[in-house]
Amino acid sequence: RAHPPFQVTPQQRTSSTMLIPKKIRLDILTYLFSEGVLCCPKDPHLKKHKQLGVPNIYVMKLMQSLASNEYVNEIFNWQWHYYYLTTPGIEYLRKVLHIPDETVPKTLKKQDGPPPGERPFGGRGRGGGRGGFRGDRDYRGPRSGGFRGGFRGGMGGGFRGRGRGMGRGMGRGGGRGRGMGAPPADFS
């Protein structure tokens, strides 16, 4: 009885591991610990990872291994893998890389920023950026100029055209999320 020439045993089928050179593996793990997060494109043929300068397949497979052991959490979106360390992952990397307990990833460090209420460029907090309260004019009122000649003034004359969202039985406010908003706040 002759066996087929390329017979694969069940043990060989389940143990498909990729050998990653030790220096590259330590580079990837060091970067992951220092940043706390790592992202890589889903492209095993990419010659070099953008931040690390190592073959992308090594980054993908090492992170896949860490994710299967629940040392990192993975988010996959638009053909990119986003990984971030978990608490057991931080402990594991401390043990593997011989890092003291005082050293933490950047994601766990407090950022030195401007004091609360002093955001540069208006920020996106309360009152800054788009959509916040504008103290230069009353709530939704008075505006001048523009296509409609003011906010409620219309075109003037006998013009009775349909504005945005009017008609089709939608009522005064139009449709699709164009409500009246919150009632005017009393800032006096």
Side-chain angles (χ1 to χ4, degrees):
R1 290 185 167 174
H3 292 287
F6 297 108
Q7 186 174 8
V8 179
T9 65
Q11 183 182 12
Q12 290 171 329
R13 229 179 266 133
T14 59
S15 65
S16 59
T17 59
M18 175 172 239
L19 297 176
I20 300 173
K22 186 174 184 178
K23 182 187 180 318
I24 292 177
R25 187 175 74 243
L26 291 176
D27 287 347
I28 296 169
L29 294 177
T30 303
Y31 178 84
L32 176 63
F33 185 84
S34 68
E35 296 294 322
V37 295
L38 188 139
C39 61
C40 67
K42 183 188 172 186
D43 184 5
H45 305 292
L46 187 64
K47 297 275 187 221
K48 300 280 183 190
H49 186 271
K50 188 175 180 180
Q51 282 86 18
L52 296 167
V54 301
N56 197 50
I57 186 74
Y58 290 160
V59 178
M60 289 175 62
K61 290 301 176 180
L62 183 59
M63 297 310 294
Q64 180 182 9
S65 172
L66 292 174
S68 69
N69 290 316
E70 296 183 354
Y71 293 140
V72 293
N73 287 331
E74 176 187 15
I75 297 173
F76 182 70
N77 189 16
W78 286 70
Q79 300 299 311
W80 279 76
H81 295 277
Y82 298 92
Y83 299 97
Y84 56 97
L85 278 171
T86 60
T87 304
I90 293 172
E91 294 168 7
Y92 170 75
L93 289 181
R94 276 200 181 114
K95 187 172 68 174
V96 169
L97 300 172
H98 309 293
I99 296 175
D101 290 341
E102 302 85 42
T103 309
V104 294
K106 284 184 183 176
T107 53
L108 296 181
K109 291 180 182 176
K110 293 279 186 185
Q111 290 186 351
D112 294 331
E118 292 183 26
R119 292 181 158 218
F121 308 112
R124 297 291 283 181
R126 288 182 175 253
R130 294 177 59 193
F133 168 71
R134 295 177 186 94
D136 60 339
R137 67 172 188 256
D138 294 336
Y139 175 77
R140 288 197 171 197
R143 294 184 185 187
S144 61
F147 176 72
R148 290 166 36 180
F151 191 68
R152 295 279 182 229
M155 291 282 288
F159 183 74
R160 300 283 296 163
R162 291 184 176 164
R164 183 185 341 185
M166 298 305 277
R168 295 189 184 233
M170 290 299 229
R172 185 166 120 66
R176 307 213 189 251
R178 305 275 186 203
M180 286 300 292
D186 185 40
F187 290 103
S188 56

